[in-house]
Amino acid sequence: MDDPCDCLELRKVELLGASKLVVERDLEADVCIWSYCAVDVWLNGEEAGRIERPVYKPISRRKTVFSLKKGDNDLFVRVQTLGVRDTRVSFAVQFLNHRDEIRVKLPDEERVKSSVQADRLLSSARLEGGRLSFAAPLPEGSEIRYDTGNQDFRKKEASCVIRGVGGMQEISLEDYAAFSICISLPEGDLERSFERMELRKPIYVTQERGAEKIGSISRSELERIARVRSITRGKNDGFALYPLLARYALGQRAREDLEEIRVTLKQIGRRMDCADFMTCGLVRLMKTCDLDARLKEEIRQTMLGFRYWMDEDGFDGMCFWSENHSLMFYETAYFFGREYPEDRFVRSGKTGRELSGSADPGMAG
């Protein structure tokens, strides 16, 4: 499963967990279950607690009682929610009494022994200046993965520098601010991330007096933006429209530009999180650039199917409610409603004239 914090589209998140609770006598333990997710808890094969609805915030709490039998008690947990950026997946069991009598152990200690050892080894790491040391040598096959800071999605191969560190107990670090140590295990990789804040330094840019400007932006600023073909947004997507607009402002056009615009239209059509950033870029593209009739029709079809507010039909991972997102959705609705005044917008059933009016308080009613 992808990290829900990295998801740009709505998806189901399901996590399973197991543990053993060990007690020396039969006892009734008062328990609180805490979670942002929907939760099912089973104790020794019987349902022992539930939270039915996932929430964004605040965290949910449910009280229950665990009937523990002398010896090992099997605890099994399933959490479910809808995942997108900022989804909270925290879960906890809080014992309100008998805390000193309850011991927790892993459900299959022999099988997870290698994972526990790897976790302890990674937890022993000491970062001192340009050196990273561990309590014991790293297993064969271990890697250090440096984050180069590259933000161009079309140059993902330049985003990471990988070195083998198997058998090493001390590593002389290269000059990258962010990196991770990855230990390869039969059941999957275990990774710990690090950051050297002393290497996070601002880059100062000086503007010469009288420097050439294009509109309100200096040519040098546009050139820096234009050098990136597509800005990395998560692991599987890049946002290409803003660098493309910078290139167009400089009079630079390329054959792959049409491909990037169509990728953007697909992202808008999927209504992925932050699609509103792209729709605003699309507004500027249409206002400032000559586009052929075929592309204009593709844009029209995409925007007639877009979802402009949370009360319109459809389910997606778009964030509507913070200040910047609200303004961008209103701008998008106002512009495209005026652009297609007689067309019917699929999600709201409104005509363009009605849509633009609902986005402009001065025109509403």
Side-chain angles (χ1 to χ4, degrees), residues 188-203:
D189 294 342
L190 192 63
E191 189 170 352
R192 181 179 176 187
S193 297
F194 300 82
E195 189 168 17
R196 298 172 65 190
M197 290 304 298
E198 72 274 13
L199 298 181
R200 295 283 193 199
K201 299 178 180 179
I203 300 174

Side-chain angles (χ1 to χ4, degrees), residues 8-53:
L8 296 177
E9 296 177 283
L10 199 63
R11 66 190 68 188
K12 177 183 176 181
V13 175
E14 183 173 39
L15 303 173
L16 304 176
S19 186
K20 283 186 180 292
L21 305 177
V22 184
V23 293
E24 298 299 324
R25 63 184 182 91
D26 293 355
L27 56 85
E28 300 287 301
D30 295 325
V31 171
C32 271
I33 300 170
W34 298 81
S35 184
Y36 293 101
C37 308
V39 179
D40 290 292
V41 179
W42 291 271
L43 182 67
N44 295 325
E46 296 184 0
E47 186 173 347
R50 164 176 282 195
I51 295 176
E52 293 191 357
R53 287 189 175 184

Side-chain angles (χ1 to χ4, degrees), residues 17-21 29-36 39-43 48-51 59-68 73-79 89-99 102-104:
S19 186
K20 283 186 180 292
L21 305 177
D30 295 325
V31 171
C32 271
I33 300 170
W34 298 81
S35 184
Y36 293 101
V39 179
D40 290 292
V41 179
W42 291 271
L43 182 67
R50 164 176 282 195
I51 295 176
I59 193 169
S60 298
R61 184 185 73 160
R62 297 290 183 274
K63 289 187 175 181
T64 187
V65 175
F66 281 3
S67 298
L68 299 172
N73 293 264
D74 294 322
L75 182 68
F76 185 79
V77 177
R78 179 179 65 185
V79 299
V89 293
S90 299
F91 164 82
V93 173
Q94 177 188 15
F95 291 96
L96 303 178
N97 55 9
H98 302 296
R99 294 181 189 178
I102 301 171
R103 184 167 61 88
V104 178

Side-chain angles (χ1 to χ4, degrees), residues 105-308:
K105 73 176 186 179
L106 296 172
D108 190 342
E109 292 183 325
E110 188 59 35
R111 186 173 181 181
V112 299
K113 185 176 181 180
S114 61
S115 298
V116 172
Q117 291 174 339
D119 176 68
R120 289 173 178 168
L121 185 56
L122 289 176
S123 298
S124 75
R126 292 178 59 86
L127 178 59
E128 296 178 346
R131 306 192 75 80
L132 182 70
S133 60
F134 298 88
L138 293 165
E140 291 302 321
S142 299
E143 295 178 339
I144 186 168
R145 300 174 181 177
Y146 293 105
D147 181 352
T148 66
N150 168 64
Q151 291 298 312
D152 194 334
F153 183 71
R154 299 302 179 195
K155 297 178 181 178
K156 286 190 291 186
E157 70 282 355
S159 300
C160 187
V161 173
I162 300 175
R163 312 284 190 218
V165 291
M168 299 175 65
Q169 189 170 349
E170 186 173 276
I171 303 168
S172 181
L173 299 170
E174 298 179 36
D175 288 336
Y176 296 103
F179 64 94
S180 62
I181 299 294
C182 180
I183 296 178
S184 181
L185 299 167
E187 57 272 19
D189 294 342
L190 192 63
E191 189 170 352
R192 181 179 176 187
S193 297
F194 300 82
E195 189 168 17
R196 298 172 65 190
M197 290 304 298
E198 72 274 13
L199 298 181
R200 295 283 193 199
K201 299 178 180 179
I203 300 174
Y204 297 100
V205 179
T206 57
Q207 294 290 342
E208 296 181 8
R209 189 181 299 275
E212 180 186 355
K213 287 192 173 183
I214 299 175
S216 60
I217 306 176
S218 71
R219 172 175 283 274
S220 60
E221 288 176 312
L222 285 170
E223 287 172 344
R224 283 196 298 275
I225 298 169
R227 282 195 288 270
V228 176
R229 183 176 167 193
S230 181
I231 303 167
T232 297
R233 184 71 177 177
K235 295 178 181 177
N236 302 310
D237 283 288
F239 285 3
L241 214 48
Y242 290 100
L244 183 145
L245 287 166
R247 292 194 294 274
Y248 279 18
L250 293 166
Q252 303 170 3
R253 295 205 179 194
R255 286 182 298 177
E256 63 265 20
D257 289 347
L258 184 58
E259 174 193 343
E260 294 290 6
I261 294 171
R262 287 191 167 125
V263 167
T264 297
L265 292 178
K266 289 179 181 178
Q267 292 170 327
I268 295 171
R270 283 158 39 198
R271 304 198 303 279
M272 59 188 282
D273 183 36
C274 292
D276 46 314
F277 285 104
M278 292 177 280
T279 61
C280 288
L282 201 58
V283 169
R284 185 170 185 85
L285 182 73
M286 294 180 69
K287 294 282 281 186
T288 60
C289 302
D290 292 328
L291 306 175
D292 64 45
R294 180 179 175 184
L295 181 58
K296 285 183 177 179
E297 178 58 20
E298 291 178 30
I299 293 172
R300 187 180 78 89
Q301 291 297 331
T302 299
M303 298 316 300
L304 289 179
F306 192 62
R307 187 168 177 242
Y308 291 86

